[in-house]
Amino acid sequence: ANPAQAKHWWGLCLGFAYISLDEAVGIHEAASGWFETEGWLYYGWVIPGAAVVVVLMGIYARFVCSLPRTIRNQVILAGGLYVGGALGMELPLGYWADGHGADNLGYALIDLVEESLELMGVSLFIAAQAEYLAMQQQQLQVVFTSASSRTETP
């Protein structure tokens, strides 16, 4: 990879680490308390969330445009799917929750679409990065072992 792009790759690493942490503990949901909103903006965190997305698009635009065409297109599609799920689907989810509550089939179906889009985006991004590593003639080796297959030495 281009050494000049290292800060962007590290930024992505940190960003994904934060997203993983947030998914586990729900940090963004605390931000909803900052706003007294209802309807489509019932989950108020989408307001600062959208601002963060716009800022990150500005910071990463040149970097993404510098990627090989196929990788760039996959990364853009992956980002669109993820943000469309995480941020975009939160709008109809909020509208539904505000009017009907969150413990019903309608909410569950909207949430299913949201989570599915997020997973598709992440999966496509991982595939694009594996393809990019291959283009750079880098090796990525993942080894899985079970505890019973390990040999112990005295």
Side-chain angles (χ1 to χ4, degrees):
N2 181 346
Q5 296 177 336
K7 66 181 179 185
H8 289 97
W9 290 114
W10 281 109
L12 285 171
C13 289
L14 292 173
F16 287 122
Y18 172 79
I19 288 170
S20 297
L21 176 66
D22 180 58
E23 192 69 25
V25 298
I27 298 168
H28 69 280
E29 290 158 357
S32 287
W34 300 345
F35 304 92
E36 291 184 29
T37 55
E38 57 187 37
W40 293 94
L41 296 176
Y42 180 75
Y43 296 116
W45 74 266
V46 298
I47 298 166
V52 168
V53 167
V54 169
V55 168
L56 290 174
M57 286 173 60
I59 292 170
Y60 275 86
R62 184 175 293 150
F63 167 73
V64 171
C65 288
S66 73
L67 296 171
R69 184 178 52 82
T70 57
I71 302 302
R72 177 181 63 237
N73 292 344
Q74 289 174 349
V75 166
I76 291 170
L77 179 58
L81 287 169
Y82 185 85
V83 172
L87 194 61
M89 287 305 297
E90 200 78 352
L91 300 173
L93 191 66
Y95 181 80
W96 185 270
D98 190 31
H100 306 283
D103 191 19
N104 55 64
L105 180 61
Y107 183 94
L109 291 173
I110 298 167
D111 192 50
L112 174 67
V113 172
E114 174 187 339
E115 298 297 332
S116 297
L117 286 169
E118 290 177 19
L119 287 172
M120 285 189 290
V122 168
S123 299
L124 180 57
F125 187 82
I126 291 169
Q129 296 320 294
E131 187 176 337
Y132 184 69
L133 284 172
M135 286 179 169
Q136 303 298 312
Q137 298 180 348
Q138 300 290 319
Q139 278 191 324
L140 174 65
Q141 184 176 9
V142 179
V143 178
F144 296 97
T145 61
S146 67
S148 63
S149 69
R150 296 183 192 139
T151 57
E152 293 184 21
T153 57

